[in-house]
Amino acid sequence: MRSLYILLIFVVASRSLYATTITSNTNSTFDVLTYGAIGDGQTDDSNAFLKAFHDVCGTIEGTRTMTIPNGKTFLLQPLSFNGPCKPGTITIEIKGSITAPKDVKLWKFSSDRKNVWIRFSEINDLIVNGKGDIDGQGSSWWLRYPGDQDRPTALQFLGCQDLKLNDLTHRNSPRNHISIDTCKGAFISNLHIIAAPTSPNTDGIDISQSSNVFITNSFIGTGDDCIAINSGSRFINITGVFCGPGHGISVGSLGKNGAFSTVEQVYVRNCTFTRTSNGARIKTFTGGSGYARNIKYEDITLVEVENPVYINQNYIPVQDSAVEVSDVTFSNIHGTSTGKYAVELLCEPNIGCTDIVLNNINIKPISGGEALVSCSNAHGRCTSCVPNVLCLSQNNGTIVY
C-alpha cells in the first residue's frame, strides 16, 4: 500500500512538472542581457544575440519574445538569424538601439554574409517591432565605396512567411535599408527610414520575388528609391507613405542584362512625395523581357518633385527588345514640379507601352506657366489632365511639347 502511495505521488508530481514546463515555454521572454550582452555600444554583442535567438527559435509552440532592452546600444557584427523555428509566433522586440561598426575596416564578414549586415532567414510568423533604433553606420561605406554595389544591405528578410515589421527607426544603411526577398505575406507599418540625400543606393525598402506585401503609414527619406519593387513581385500594396528626399516609389528597374523580369498587381495610394527626384516611376532596361502590368498610382500629392509621372522603358538602352509595360493607371495626382517635364512616357520604339491611363492629373511647375510633357510610343487615354497628355488623348503614340 505504501509503495502504491509513493507511486501515485510520483505520477502527480511528474504531471505537475510537465504542465509547468509547457506553460513557461508557451509564453516566454528571452532578454539578450541574460545571455551576456553588454549594450555599451563598444563591445561586440553578436554572440549573445545569437544565443538568445537559438533558444527563442527552439522553444516549443507558443509566443516567444527576444527582447533588446531600452537605454542601451548593442554593437553587432554581420550575423544571420536562421530558421526554420518551432511553430508559433516569434517576436524580436527592439526597445533599445542596435548599431553596426562605425568604420568599414571594423566590419567582420563571414563567407556567407558578405552583402548583408543582419539577416532573418526562413522564419515564419516573425514579428520585429519595439520603437527602437537601427543604425547601419553607412557614412564610412559611402565615402570609401561610393559606386560599389557590394556595400551591404542593412536588414534582410529572406524566405520569411507572414512577416510583421513595425514601429522602428532605421538609419544610415551602407546600401539599401530593408530587403524583402522571397517572402509571402508581409505587413510593414510605422517605419521611419532616413539617410543623407547624397547617400548612394540607400533605398528604403526593396521588394523582390515576394507577394502579398503591405506597406503603410511610414516616412522614408533616403538617397535613392523610397520603395523599389523588383522582379518576381506581385500583389504589392503601398498606402500612406511620405517619401522625400529620394527617388520616389519605383517599379524596377527590370530586365537588366537581358533578364526576364515580371512585376504585377501593384497598388500605390495616398502617398506624398516631397522634393524627390521622381514620384510615380516605372523603369526597365531594353534588351530584357517579361512584363510590368496592372500597376496603379492613385491619390498622390507632389511637393516640388522633379519628375512626377515617369515611365522609362528605355532605361539605359542597349537592344531592341524590352520589358512590356501595360495596364498602368495614374489617377488623382496633383501638386508641383521642378523639372522640365511633369509627365514623361518614354517607351521603346518596337514594343511601346499599352493601356496607359492618366485620369484627373493636375501638376503645375513651381516656376509658373504650363507644365511640359514628353511622350514616345505610349498608347492609352488621358482624361482631365493638366498638362494634357496629347499622345494619349489623341492616341497617336508620340509627342513632345
Side-chain angles (χ1 to χ4, degrees):
M1 186 69 179
R2 177 180 174 81
S3 298
L4 179 59
Y5 179 73
I6 293 173
L7 178 61
L8 287 172
I9 292 175
F10 176 79
V11 170
V12 170
S14 298
R15 287 179 177 176
S16 177
L17 177 62
Y18 178 76
T20 301
T21 302
I22 293 295
T23 301
S24 64
N25 282 341
T26 54
N27 190 11
S28 300
T29 299
F30 301 79
D31 191 323
V32 296
L33 293 177
T34 66
Y35 289 84
I38 303 301
D40 60 3
Q42 304 295 323
T43 305
D44 182 5
D45 290 318
S46 301
N47 286 335
F49 274 59
L50 290 173
K51 289 176 182 177
F53 179 78
H54 177 270
D55 285 356
V56 169
C57 184
T59 301
I60 62 173
E61 181 176 354
T63 299
R64 298 93 84 191
T65 301
M66 174 175 160
T67 298
I68 294 91
N70 192 17
K72 291 184 175 293
T73 299
F74 299 90
L75 173 65
L76 298 182
Q77 290 288 347
L79 75 171
S80 292
F81 300 106
N82 297 322
C85 297
K86 297 290 185 180
T89 300
I90 289 178
T91 299
I92 309 297
E93 187 177 43
I94 304 174
K95 296 181 178 179
S97 297
I98 294 174
T99 183
K102 290 184 178 181
D103 192 281
V104 172
K105 296 178 181 179
L106 300 176
W107 286 60
K108 300 175 182 178
F109 289 99
S110 65
S111 59
D112 63 338
R113 292 196 298 268
K114 289 185 177 180
N115 297 323
V116 178
W117 175 34
I118 300 173
R119 173 182 291 149
F120 292 91
S121 177
E122 304 294 335
I123 306 168
N124 295 342
D125 300 305
L126 174 66
I127 300 172
V128 181
N129 62 16
K131 299 186 184 301
D133 184 278
I134 300 173
D135 190 342
Q137 299 289 351
S139 59
S140 65
W141 288 92
W142 308 334
L143 292 171
R144 191 179 297 268
Y145 305 110
D148 189 348
Q149 297 304 299
D150 289 331
R151 285 179 285 108
T153 294
L155 184 60
Q156 181 190 41
F157 296 92
L158 178 65
C160 297
Q161 317 308 327
D162 298 319
L163 166 71
K164 293 182 177 64
L165 175 65
N166 53 70
D167 295 328
L168 294 173
T169 296
H170 200 327
R171 66 183 76 244
N172 299 327
S173 174
R175 195 181 177 192
N176 53 311
H177 286 74
I178 298 171
S179 286
I180 308 296
D181 193 351
T182 60
C183 295
K184 293 182 180 179
F187 184 81
I188 301 169
S189 65
N190 298 312
L191 296 188
H192 195 88
I193 302 175
I194 48 177
T198 56
S199 57
N201 303 109
T202 53
D203 295 3
I205 302 173
D206 279 3
I207 306 168
S208 60
Q209 301 293 330
S210 297
S211 61
N212 297 304
V213 178
F214 296 82
I215 302 173
T216 185
N217 298 334
S218 296
F219 172 86
I220 305 174
T222 69
D224 210 299
D225 293 326
C226 292
I227 301 172
I229 304 162
N230 298 301
S231 182
S233 299
R234 54 200 299 264
F235 297 105
I236 310 299
N237 192 304
I238 300 167
T239 62
V241 170
F242 290 84
C243 172
H247 295 182
I249 296 178
S250 299
V251 174
S253 52
L254 306 176
K256 187 175 182 179
N257 297 323
F260 177 82
S261 301
T262 66
V263 168
E264 61 183 330
Q265 301 294 342
V266 175
Y267 186 30
V268 180
R269 185 180 68 85
N270 192 29
C271 293
T272 299
F273 299 95
T274 301
R275 300 180 184 89
T276 53
S277 59
N278 305 290
R281 177 169 67 159
I282 300 171
K283 52 179 180 174
T284 72
F285 288 90
T286 54
S289 61
Y291 53 81
R293 65 192 184 194
N294 297 320
I295 299 165
K296 188 171 187 177
Y297 290 88
E298 182 178 39
D299 300 333
I300 303 298
T301 299
L302 310 166
V303 180
E304 299 179 14
V305 175
E306 186 176 353
N307 303 298
V309 176
Y310 191 26
I311 294 178
N312 191 346
Q313 203 182 21
N314 295 287
Y315 192 68
I316 309 181
V318 289
Q319 298 179 32
D320 290 333
S321 62
V323 176
E324 295 182 9
V325 178
S326 64
D327 297 306
V328 179
T329 299
F330 302 95
S331 180
N332 299 329
I333 297 178
H334 58 89
T336 56
S337 63
T338 62
K340 185 176 181 179
Y341 299 109
V343 177
E344 289 185 85
L345 307 176
L346 308 178
C347 301
E348 202 274 332
N350 296 318
I351 297 177
C353 307
T354 58
D355 296 320
I356 309 301
V357 175
L358 274 68
N359 177 56
N360 194 20
I361 307 297
N362 190 347
I363 304 172
K364 297 180 180 180
I366 61 169
S367 58
E370 292 291 328
L372 301 179
V373 172
S374 178
C375 186
S376 176
N377 298 302
H379 304 273
R381 66 181 186 274
C382 172
T383 57
S384 300
C385 294
V386 178
N388 189 16
V389 185
L390 292 177
C391 68
L392 299 181
S393 60
Q394 296 179 358
N395 201 30
N396 61 4
T398 301
I399 193 166
V400 177
Y401 62 98

